[in-house]
Amino acid sequence: MTPMGYGKSSLGTCFGVFIILGGVWLKTTLVKSGVDEAGVRYILIVVAVSAFLFFMMDLTNNVKNRKNIEHMHRMLEYPAVKGKIAEVKKYRYNYGIGEEITSDEYRYHCYVYRVVASFYDEKNGCEKKIVSEVYARDPRRWTLSDRVDIHYSPDGEYWIELDAKQK
């Protein structure tokens, strides 16, 4: 389970390939049924532009998320301590701005979640709580237990790795 903005997308590429294959099938069917090649040209232009837009959608999304993905992989290479999920906070998601809501507010439809994990910091000798990145799905439904691995870098950055179910 990866946070929002930390994954690669391939759905646009799949749609682009599907559109191209559908356009080739449509062109072949129309030409075999006697339609002039010049009449099919506009359909092929629409197919090519649509496929290109879907390819570009994937490319721009993956380029935008590349920095986050590299950061996540770098953090996962650092040593980890065991911790547990202290709480899961629910936020109303509005164009990248999260506003925390209480559990009795049901009128919002777009939610995001953050995990608050606690662990014992041996260096300082105290209990620490850290907040995760934003998840699109409720982590309580997708984790096997309340245990987490908390990776820490020498710079003082933390990364929470959930004990998530495999797809």
Side-chain angles (χ1 to χ4, degrees), residues 11-101:
L11 188 62
T13 304
C14 293
F15 277 139
V17 169
F18 179 72
I19 288 172
I20 288 172
L21 292 176
V24 168
W25 174 80
L26 183 63
K27 176 195 180 275
T28 306
T29 304
L30 290 174
V31 168
K32 281 185 177 181
S33 55
V35 175
D36 186 25
E37 224 33 71
V40 181
R41 181 176 358 157
Y42 298 110
I43 293 174
L44 291 179
I45 290 172
V46 169
V47 165
V49 168
S50 300
F52 176 74
L53 290 176
F54 276 111
F55 288 136
M56 288 307 294
M57 181 178 67
D58 255 2
L59 181 67
T60 57
N61 189 32
N62 291 340
V63 166
K64 182 180 77 171
N65 292 344
R66 182 178 0 152
K67 184 177 174 185
N68 289 343
I69 294 168
E70 289 171 358
H71 173 71
M72 178 180 68
H73 289 301
R74 187 177 63 250
M75 288 301 295
L76 290 174
E77 291 175 359
Y78 288 119
V81 295
K82 296 291 182 187
K84 66 177 185 166
I85 297 175
E87 69 177 303
V88 175
K89 292 187 177 189
K90 190 179 200 180
Y91 295 87
R92 179 174 65 102
Y93 189 68
N94 188 13
Y95 301 108
I97 302 168
E99 174 186 323
E100 190 172 358
I101 60 172

Side-chain angles (χ1 to χ4, degrees), residues 94-132:
N94 188 13
Y95 301 108
I97 302 168
E99 174 186 323
E100 190 172 358
I101 60 172
T102 60
S103 59
D104 59 341
E105 294 186 67
Y106 295 107
R107 66 178 180 220
Y108 301 115
H109 298 288
C110 298
Y111 300 117
V112 292
Y113 302 88
R114 286 185 184 259
V115 172
V116 178
S118 64
F119 69 100
Y120 184 74
D121 186 9
E122 293 179 7
K123 182 179 176 184
N124 298 329
C126 63
E127 189 83 13
K128 266 192 171 178
K129 288 189 177 185
I130 58 169
V131 181
S132 73

Side-chain angles (χ1 to χ4, degrees), residues 82-89 114-119 129-130 139-150 160-163:
K82 296 291 182 187
K84 66 177 185 166
I85 297 175
E87 69 177 303
V88 175
K89 292 187 177 189
R114 286 185 184 259
V115 172
V116 178
S118 64
F119 69 100
K129 288 189 177 185
I130 58 169
R140 292 174 287 212
R141 298 190 67 199
W142 298 94
T143 55
L144 297 172
S145 67
D146 66 342
R147 297 288 171 203
V148 294
D149 289 334
I150 300 172
I160 298 175
E161 183 179 14
L162 300 175
D163 183 22

